[in-house]
């Protein structure tokens, strides 16, 4: 049997209990075909980047699945029929991750590395860069005369 991670998006107007019922329904499909579902995470109601079937938000749910391909096909077939499921994606993985997924990890803004590579340590040294000039001291551009000569 292969290992899969499966994420699906449910409509914004279904309740959290209905999302849990959908997870249980698809869990039953997987188990009926000889597979098993490991970790199940409900990521909650999140905003979508763009509208999907007139919905601006969706309930996200993740399932770690260990099942044959036939079970995955049957689950996806039932998801295509269900009007409450907006989108789904199943990915084959080598091994399931231990612990919470990246979406469930609580990270503080100050703990994240900055994009420019600065780790908020002491100010970086800019080497042998000369003293800073004022705005009016900049050299003329191209063939244009200096500011004093223009008048």
């Amino acid at each position: 049997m292969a290992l899969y991670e499966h994420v699906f998006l449910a409509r914004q107007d279904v309740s959290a209990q209905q999302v849990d019922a959908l997870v249980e329904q698809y869990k039953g499909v997987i188990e009926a075909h000889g597979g098993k579902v490991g970790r199940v995470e409900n990521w909650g109601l999140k905003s979508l980047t763009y509208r999907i079937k007139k919905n601006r938000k969706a309930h996200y749910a993740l399932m770690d699945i260990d099942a044959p391909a036939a079970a995955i096909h049957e689950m996806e077939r039932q998801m295509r029929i269900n009007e409450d499921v907006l989108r789904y994606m199943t990915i084959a993985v080598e091994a399931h991750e231990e612990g919470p997924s990246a979406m469930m990890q609580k990270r503080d803004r100050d703990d994240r590395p900055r994009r420019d590579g600065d780790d908020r340590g002491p100010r970086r040294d800019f080497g042998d860069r000369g003293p800073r000039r004022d705005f009016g001291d900049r050299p003329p551009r191209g063939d244009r005369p200096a500011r004093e000569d223009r008048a």
Side-chain angles (χ1 to χ4, degrees):
M1 287 193 289
L3 300 175
Y4 301 95
E5 283 187 0
H6 179 80
V7 177
F8 71 91
L9 281 65
R11 289 184 321 161
Q12 64 187 3
D13 52 341
V14 298
S15 67
Q17 290 81 14
Q18 288 173 309
V19 174
D20 292 339
L22 284 172
V23 168
E24 290 302 318
Q25 174 187 345
Y26 297 126
K27 197 183 220 185
V29 171
I30 295 295
E31 291 170 353
H33 285 82
K36 50 186 179 193
V37 177
R39 171 181 63 172
V40 175
E41 287 183 358
N42 189 349
W43 295 344
L45 186 65
K46 295 191 172 288
S47 295
L48 298 171
T49 305
Y50 54 91
R51 283 183 172 188
I52 301 174
K53 298 180 184 175
K54 299 182 181 178
N55 289 282
R56 293 183 185 272
K57 294 184 175 193
H59 292 274
Y60 285 68
L62 167 79
M63 296 189 289
D64 283 348
I65 301 172
D66 182 11
I72 301 299
H73 289 288
E74 177 60 22
M75 180 185 65
E76 289 180 346
R77 185 188 73 78
Q78 290 188 18
M79 284 192 172
R80 279 193 296 273
I81 295 169
N82 194 332
E83 292 178 359
D84 290 336
V85 177
L86 299 174
R87 292 280 193 278
Y88 62 87
M89 180 172 60
T90 307
I91 299 173
V93 294
E94 295 291 322
H96 289 136
E97 293 180 8
E98 296 297 321
S101 65
M103 292 292 287
M104 297 299 286
Q105 291 175 356
K106 177 77 171 111
R107 297 182 90 185
D108 193 16
R109 274 186 188 264
D110 298 334
D111 294 342
R112 291 185 289 189
R114 291 183 53 184
R115 289 185 187 183
D116 60 2
D118 185 11
D119 59 354
R120 296 196 187 257
R123 183 162 168 82
R124 290 181 288 182
D125 185 22
F126 290 103
D128 57 348
R129 191 162 89 178
R132 219 174 150 165
R133 294 183 296 198
D134 290 333
F135 181 77
D137 293 341
R138 95 178 136 177
R141 285 191 305 195
D143 57 350
R144 209 169 79 183
R147 189 168 282 201
E148 299 86 39
D149 301 337
R150 270 196 257 161

